[in-house]
Amino acid sequence: MQFLDDILAGRVVPGMNFNQKVWAMTVRIPAGKVATYGQVAKALGSPGAARAVGNALNKNPYAPRVPCHRVVGSTGSLTGFAGGLPKKQQLLIEEGVACAAHRVVMDRVEWVEL
DNA sequence: CAAATGACATTCT
DNA sequence: TAGAATGCCATTT
């Protein structure tokens, strides 16, 4: 609860729990772009923890302030979403992400600079 | 402290 | 190309 500002600011600070770091990184995903669970995990220094990232986003208590809908599977598949996959796809389209039937066009991940 | 769980990723059929 | 089988990590029981 004390890292709230950092999280919403997209600031990953040592001392935060894994999930909090995940949320912080998620905030740094520019609108119109998407990142894979694996990319987020790697950015946090834990390559292979993609699955754990999914768990964190699933429990994301700061939605929609934390754009968890910008995180997709490695193939660009719209894997899971608390509010329902259709909702997730809709949000992405709103932001201008090219979607094609439960699949988004993968693009190089560009973390927002602080 | 061991076992189970899940919004993943990779590889093999 | 689609579906099943394994491996992985952090969190929750």
Side-chain angles (χ1 to χ4, degrees):
Chain A
M1 189 70 93
Q2 41 195 319
F3 290 110
L4 184 61
D5 340 331
D6 293 312
I7 293 177
L8 297 181
R11 226 180 278 159
V12 180
V13 184
M16 295 196 288
N17 297 318
F18 185 76
N19 7 18
Q20 302 182 294
K21 294 182 185 175
V22 172
W23 300 326
M25 282 313 279
T26 304
V27 171
R28 295 172 62 172
I29 302 175
K33 296 282 182 179
V34 295
T36 71
Y37 295 88
Q39 283 291 346
V40 175
K42 183 181 179 183
L44 292 178
S46 298
R51 204 162 188 175
V53 171
N55 277 314
L57 290 178
N58 177 321
K59 303 166 193 164
N60 167 29
Y62 310 113
R65 284 179 291 179
V66 174
C68 45
H69 58 275
R70 293 183 196 154
V71 184
V72 301
S74 64
T75 65
S77 59
L78 299 185
T79 323
F81 190 63
L85 294 181
K87 184 72 177 178
K88 182 171 184 174
Q89 179 172 336
Q90 182 196 304
L91 289 173
L92 288 173
I93 295 178
E94 293 268 331
E95 300 181 351
V97 177
C99 292
H102 293 64
R103 282 274 167 89
V104 300
V105 181
M106 290 302 293
D107 222 346
R108 188 159 186 68
V109 189
E110 299 171 15
W111 300 112
V112 162
E113 326 163 15
L114 303 178

